[in-house]
Amino acid sequence: MKVGILTLPLWHNYGGILQAYALRLAIERSGHQAILIDVKREPLSKRKKVISHTKRSIKAKFLYGLRKPYYPNEKEVKSISSNTRAFVENNIQPSSGHIRLSNTPKFAKRLDAIIVGSDQVWRPEYCPDLALYFLGFAKKRLKKISYAASLGTDDWRFDTKETTRCSKLLRTFDAVSVREESAIDLLKKNMQVAAIQTCDPTMLLEAKDYLSVADIPSTYPSGGRGIFCYVLDPKELRMQGLLNIGTRLNSELFFIMPKVFDKNYAKSSEDYIFPAVEEWIKALQESDFVVTDSFHGCVFSIIFNKPFIAIANTSRGRTRFESLLKQFDLEERLFDCVVDIDTEVLHKPLNWKEINKKRENLKNEGINFLTSSLNKES
């Protein structure tokens, strides 16, 4: 069976890229051919480009420095994502090739099934086309499945029109699974659809799978480099005091993330380019401890058995952290800001034997869901 994977556009989000890689490999290991539908957003019209450029200019002149986000345009995204896109194009194969969202229905004609998932694919603010991500284009013969689809938040953010349209589409799915526990109730209440919870696709693989794709030998030493700070929003107030963690743990901090995109990009564009996915995986392997405000930073800390502390990234979706950590009884490792970090928790050893046992159970449940959903008669 040819199974398409539809996820959010893949550029420089390490977690997003690796969850797509993991899902492709898991489907392949279940005996089917997995094909990434490698989508990108539609180009802006001339009018919208002018509006976008004007907004950026205003932000740069009047709002920059007031913690207002400053986003790259399509050309700049391609540049800063050059290393990470190389991983997508070289390792998540076969794929559709990099196609516009509008070409998805045409490509889907050659598929037997589509799995939509996982990383916040059903969050209106992030999703480029909600009806498309609820497979509104799919023909009746096409098997439709969601795997660990994420809403990202624990409140309902669809408007009335979106709710009506997408609930009708979701009720035509052959199987529905979501990533966060809160999403089960949200879908039931607002769309009258029953869903089950499955783990993030990255947890369907083992650390050795990621080391292998990064060409890191299994004998490569674990640890020794210090505290890996994988922080998406280092300029946020909640991250103040980050350097003090090194003192509290008597260890060196190291970072690999590029400069946060801002109006100075043109002056030193190379400083904004994201390191390769392989380098990110290597940093995890070499770390002794992880501090992160990323959901997937937490996930990979668990996979690689690295003690960690999570700083809740509320605007990006706090419920993602809570749902994940609850599954491993690790809620105490989540804090609202760096200054709130409890020293006792910081030094508390983790029971990796129990954590790995829970992870293995979640992995098996996820694989069983995939296998049974793909093999079930329509």
Side-chain angles (χ1 to χ4, degrees):
M1 182 184 293
K2 291 184 178 180
V3 183
I5 298 171
L6 180 61
T7 192
L8 294 181
L10 303 177
W11 288 106
H12 50 72
N13 182 312
Y14 295 108
I17 290 170
L18 288 172
Q19 60 90 23
Y21 172 78
L23 186 55
R24 184 205 66 81
L25 191 57
I27 294 169
E28 183 181 273
R29 288 175 175 176
S30 72
H32 301 280
Q33 181 184 10
I35 304 171
L36 173 69
I37 306 176
D38 189 14
V39 295
K40 54 184 174 180
R41 295 172 184 266
E42 300 300 316
L44 294 176
S45 65
K46 289 184 178 180
R47 179 175 175 274
K48 288 185 177 180
K49 282 183 179 179
V50 171
I51 293 173
S52 177
H53 178 74
T54 302
K55 286 182 177 179
R56 277 164 52 102
S57 298
I58 292 172
K59 281 185 178 182
K61 188 172 182 178
F62 300 107
L63 299 178
Y64 185 71
L66 298 178
R67 303 189 184 280
K68 297 291 184 180
Y70 190 82
Y71 298 109
N73 59 34
E74 185 174 359
K75 182 179 179 181
E76 292 160 344
V77 166
K78 287 181 179 179
S79 174
I80 65 178
S81 305
S82 56
N83 292 329
T84 47
R85 274 298 303 176
F87 182 93
V88 175
E89 293 165 5
N90 294 331
N91 294 289
I92 312 182
Q93 293 293 336
S95 84
S96 62
H98 215 186
I99 63 173
R100 295 290 178 187
L101 280 165
S102 57
N103 290 329
T104 302
K106 182 179 179 181
F107 182 80
K109 291 179 180 179
R110 67 189 73 181
L111 302 173
D112 302 302
I114 291 184
I115 296 180
V116 58
S118 159
D119 205 22
Q120 304 202 73
V121 288
W122 289 345
R123 183 169 177 175
E125 306 98 299
Y126 294 175
C127 183
D129 185 335
L130 275 174
L132 187 141
Y133 277 83
F134 279 87
L135 308 183
F137 60 87
K139 303 298 182 183
K140 286 187 178 181
R141 66 163 186 83
L142 201 66
K143 183 167 288 190
K144 293 173 283 187
I145 300 166
S146 73
Y147 180 81
S150 172
L151 297 173
T153 63
D154 59 2
D155 60 322
W156 190 248
R157 300 198 175 186
F158 290 57
D159 63 29
T160 302
K161 185 177 179 180
E162 290 167 342
T163 300
T164 301
R165 170 70 169 145
C166 294
S167 62
K168 289 180 179 178
L169 294 173
L170 190 56
R171 285 197 287 269
T172 69
F173 274 51
D174 295 273
V176 179
S177 77
V178 292
R179 194 175 66 186
E180 286 81 44
E181 184 180 26
S182 58
I184 296 175
D185 290 335
L186 287 173
L187 291 184
K188 186 67 175 178
K189 178 180 179 181
N190 295 282
M191 290 187 168
Q192 294 73 54
V193 173
I196 68 167
Q197 184 181 14
T198 51
C199 65
D200 187 82
T202 53
M203 288 195 164
L204 299 176
L205 303 186
E206 299 292 331
K208 64 182 180 181
D209 294 308
Y210 297 109
L211 293 175
S212 176
V213 76
D215 289 326
I216 299 173
S218 58
T219 55
Y220 192 84
S222 176
R225 191 173 173 183
I227 303 167
F228 177 31
C229 293
Y230 176 47
V231 178
L232 302 179
D233 298 310
K235 294 183 179 181
E236 294 286 336
L237 289 173
R238 56 189 168 77
M239 299 310 302
Q240 287 189 357
L242 185 61
L243 298 180
N244 293 333
I245 294 178
T247 302
R248 294 168 70 179
L249 285 173
N250 192 29
S251 183
E252 294 290 324
L253 275 64
F254 71 97
F255 304 76
I256 69 165
M257 293 291 277
K259 288 183 65 175
V260 176
F261 195 84
D262 58 28
K263 66 176 183 177
N264 298 312
Y265 168 78
K267 297 178 183 178
S268 57
S269 58
E270 64 278 1
D271 294 335
Y272 298 83
I273 298 175
F274 283 75
V277 173
E278 293 86 347
E279 186 175 339
W280 187 81
I281 294 172
K282 186 177 180 182
L284 275 163
Q285 176 70 359
E286 293 178 338
S287 68
D288 300 298
F289 196 99
V290 177
V291 178
T292 187
D293 64 348
S294 157
F295 168 81
H296 279 108
C298 297
V299 171
F300 276 91
S301 295
I302 292 170
I303 294 172
F304 277 73
N305 284 190
K306 301 293 181 176
F308 69 97
I309 287 294
I311 309 301
N313 196 324
T314 303
S315 64
R316 294 178 185 264
R318 183 188 178 94
T319 191
R320 301 177 303 143
F321 294 83
E322 293 170 339
S323 184
L324 170 71
L325 298 179
K326 181 180 178 181
Q327 291 176 305
F328 294 93
D329 296 320
L330 295 174
E331 298 100 316
E332 66 179 0
R333 307 195 80 82
L334 179 65
F335 297 91
D336 289 320
C337 54
V338 169
V339 295
D340 288 340
I341 294 175
D342 188 312
T343 299
E344 184 178 341
V345 174
L346 200 61
H347 290 274
K348 187 176 180 178
L350 293 172
N351 187 337
W352 289 115
K353 183 177 180 180
E354 284 301 312
I355 292 172
N356 289 333
K357 184 178 178 180
K358 291 174 182 177
R359 183 171 59 84
E360 183 69 17
N361 289 336
L362 292 172
K363 172 186 173 181
N364 290 336
E365 289 171 3
I367 291 173
N368 288 338
F369 173 85
L370 273 179
T371 304
S372 60
S373 299
L374 288 170
N375 293 337
K376 184 173 66 176
E377 292 292 332
S378 297

